[in-house]
Amino acid sequence: MRQRFALMGTAATMFAVVALAAGPATAQLNKDVDKCRGSIAKAYAKLGAGVSKTIAKCHKDRNNGKIADTVDCNSIAAMDAKTQGKIAKAKDKLNKSIVKKCSDKLSTTLAQEVLSRYPGYPEPCATELALNGPFRTFTPLSQCLQCQGVRTAEAAATAALGLPTVP
């Protein structure tokens, strides 16, 4: 039960961070910009919640002997191909949401307004994805959010659930 609340808190925190990072809404921004920014925040929160849920299930399965004790449940890369496929689908949903509500809807000027609100590529994803500089299109923003969503959930799980040792 404690794990559940910790992971729910993590998902809520991730949503709040993205919502705040996008900056305050102003009267100057139009409805499409607001929809784009809201879509980014919602998609990121869904990805983070999905990854957190996957990690929690792995810990539960490990504790119940359904998977090997040697599996590092705090690392998506260490999980089976089926689980990695589910996370890949969740990342793809984030990307499609950003394309649908941002890339396909906004003029270049409005797109740059949205992208300018993101400070750049945070670590470890900047190095992992070999990305740098300001965001100029929504594709690298999507890649960065996908990476950050997974890495944030993994770090939160490590802090909240620990790394149980093999008996």
Side-chain angles (χ1 to χ4, degrees):
M1 181 64 100
R2 222 166 68 190
Q3 291 173 342
R4 180 188 236 171
F5 288 121
L7 291 174
M8 288 189 315
T10 298
T13 301
M14 287 171 34
F15 178 77
V17 166
V18 171
L20 292 174
T26 66
Q28 297 168 353
L29 300 179
N30 72 22
K31 189 167 58 169
D32 287 337
V33 169
D34 289 342
K35 285 181 182 179
C36 169
R37 291 173 54 218
S39 179
I40 291 169
K42 183 178 178 181
Y44 181 80
K46 279 186 176 183
L47 174 64
V51 173
S52 294
K53 184 178 177 181
T54 299
I55 289 171
K57 182 181 182 318
C58 180
H59 277 276
K60 181 180 176 184
D61 289 349
R62 185 175 181 227
N63 292 343
N64 292 332
K66 293 181 181 178
I67 60 173
D69 287 343
T70 56
V71 174
D72 178 1
C73 290
N74 296 328
S75 171
I76 295 299
M79 294 183 188
D80 62 40
K82 182 179 176 183
T83 301
Q84 289 181 20
K86 287 181 182 180
I87 298 302
K89 284 182 182 179
K91 288 178 173 181
D92 189 49
K93 280 186 177 182
L94 180 142
N95 187 57
K96 286 180 179 177
S97 177
I98 291 174
V99 167
K100 182 179 178 182
K101 296 289 184 179
C102 300
S103 296
D104 291 350
K105 298 277 184 186
L106 300 178
S107 68
T108 302
T109 303
L110 291 176
Q112 290 310 307
E113 167 63 29
V114 173
L115 292 167
S116 70
R117 295 182 179 270
Y118 292 88
Y121 303 95
E123 290 297 341
C125 297
T127 301
E128 186 176 318
L129 300 172
L131 298 171
N132 59 29
F135 292 107
R136 290 185 179 86
T137 68
F138 288 101
T139 298
L141 175 63
S142 175
Q143 293 170 329
C144 184
L145 291 174
Q146 291 170 36
C147 178
Q148 282 299 120
V150 171
R151 296 299 167 260
T152 301
E154 289 174 336
T158 300
L161 305 174
L163 289 170
T165 57
V166 177

